[in-house]
Amino acid sequence: MFGIFKKKPRKAQTPLAPKSGSDECATAVRWVAASADRAEFRQRATSAAQSLGAGAIEPLSLAFHSETEPPEELKARFSGLGSWMAVRQFAIFEILYAIGEPSLPVLWRVVLGEYDWTQGNAIEILCRLAADGVQPTVVLDELKKALPNMREEAVYYAAGPLRQHANEDDRMLPIIDELVKLPVFADAWARFKN
């Protein structure tokens, strides 16, 4: 009779992916962040994305503001205030870019969330994915709605890297042509003239 008050066993939760735990994600992010140059950075991010898979998206999104100090072996390279956290964030977003379309919900959550310097990174990655053909109409339509309501700093923070990408990849030009129709983006874009 009193068996109804017994605790029922909880169902085991299934992990997002077998190789995408927070330790594996943290190790991958450190490895990408420690890259010596931009080409190596991108190659490592692509490799990390392939290894971790889409199951790493949520753990990666929870790591934007973690690990403020670099590992001992990297302290000399990343000694400036906030430099390690910034390069880790770049690494996380580059991994999300390499994962591709499955990253869109997290990228939108960052863009549409409360102000944070990561918003600029998310805008950049959304534009790069749109240039790659990942939901370009949706990305542009949603950015056109969001950017006028965002803090200028977030838009400026996106414009610099986007200028660099546009200089290297003509596929970015139609994306930029649409965004510069927005005064807030046009102002930010003008600040990063060649």
Side-chain angles (χ1 to χ4, degrees):
M1 175 173 151
F2 293 103
I4 61 170
F5 296 110
K6 284 185 182 176
K7 275 190 172 179
K8 293 181 181 175
R10 296 176 80 182
K11 282 187 176 179
Q13 294 183 345
T14 39
L16 293 172
K19 294 166 59 177
S20 63
S22 59
D23 288 343
E24 290 84 1
C25 288
T27 300
V29 169
R30 277 186 220 106
W31 180 64
V32 174
S35 301
D37 60 45
R38 196 163 163 205
E40 180 183 22
F41 182 83
R42 287 183 174 173
Q43 289 170 339
R44 284 185 178 196
T46 299
S47 178
Q50 291 168 347
S51 174
L52 294 170
I57 293 169
E58 196 58 35
L60 287 169
S61 76
L62 299 174
F64 292 137
H65 301 290
S66 63
E67 198 173 305
T68 58
E69 295 294 320
E72 197 61 42
E73 66 275 11
L74 296 173
K75 282 192 176 183
R77 281 184 52 209
F78 301 102
S79 60
L81 179 64
S83 62
W84 179 245
M85 185 181 286
V87 76
R88 284 185 75 262
Q89 289 171 349
F90 293 142
I92 291 167
F93 280 102
E94 194 66 24
I95 294 168
L96 292 174
Y97 170 74
I99 290 172
E101 190 165 0
S103 299
L104 289 177
V106 161
L107 294 169
W108 284 118
R109 192 168 70 212
V110 173
V111 167
L112 301 173
E114 287 187 41
Y115 170 72
D116 185 83
W117 60 78
T118 57
Q119 285 177 313
N121 299 95
I123 294 166
E124 173 204 344
I125 299 304
L126 284 168
C127 291
R128 289 173 59 199
L129 288 170
D132 289 346
V134 177
Q135 299 185 19
T137 304
V138 172
V139 168
L140 281 170
D141 289 347
E142 293 303 314
L143 284 176
K144 287 183 207 176
K145 291 178 203 170
L147 292 180
N149 301 311
M150 295 179 76
R151 285 182 44 175
E152 294 178 335
E153 298 94 317
V155 181
Y156 292 159
Y157 196 59
L162 286 172
R163 171 74 74 177
Q164 188 172 3
H165 289 294
N167 288 339
E168 298 169 356
D169 185 352
D170 289 343
R171 297 175 308 147
M172 289 297 298
L173 298 177
I175 306 297
I176 301 305
D177 287 345
E178 284 300 310
L179 293 179
V180 295
K181 294 176 184 175
L182 301 170
V184 67
F185 190 83
D187 183 46
W189 189 253
R191 291 177 185 250
F192 292 96
K193 289 217 186 245
N194 297 350

